[in-house]
Amino acid sequence: MPVLRRTLTRVLAATFPARATATLLQAPAHAVVVPEHAVITCQSASFYANYDSASGPVALVRTLSYGDKVGHTPGAHPVYNGWAATFDFGPNDWGYVRIECIGGYGSW
């Protein structure tokens, strides 16, 4: 790994200014957490594209049905006022669903 880092540093230094190179080599602020497999436990659940702290969920994407496969990792993915950041494994996109409609963790 150190050899790879030195090589990457040389390539970046030749391409970018010193400040940009240092920024690119820093560790990310947070690690990416793969969503834990779960399912929708409500008969239907609205899936929104985003969540706005002032107005709540924004931009309805679709309605998910009971048993649809989703992903959410408690403690790692945010929950705002009961709206949980959720990955829909069907079309492979992120959105927000009510936390009480997510369950069956690790069930598939």
Side-chain angles (χ1 to χ4, degrees):
M1 189 68 172
V3 173
L4 177 61
R5 187 174 178 93
R6 281 195 303 269
T7 303
L8 182 58
T9 301
R10 279 191 228 118
V11 170
L12 290 173
T15 309
F16 300 102
R19 188 179 330 163
T21 301
T23 301
L24 289 170
L25 291 175
Q26 290 177 352
H30 64 311
V32 175
V33 177
V34 176
E36 185 177 339
H37 288 145
V39 293
I40 296 297
T41 58
C42 295
Q43 288 302 311
S44 66
S46 298
F47 184 74
Y48 288 90
N50 207 345
Y51 183 84
D52 182 316
S53 60
S55 60
V58 177
L60 178 66
V61 177
R62 66 184 146 276
T63 301
L64 301 177
S65 299
Y66 179 84
D68 283 349
K69 295 174 182 347
V70 296
H72 173 80
T73 303
H77 297 131
V79 177
Y80 304 110
N81 294 322
W83 290 93
T86 306
F87 187 77
D88 184 355
F89 284 106
N92 295 323
D93 57 356
W94 282 94
Y96 287 84
V97 171
R98 292 295 304 172
I99 190 69
E100 63 267 16
C101 288
I102 302 172
Y105 290 94
S107 60
W108 51 284

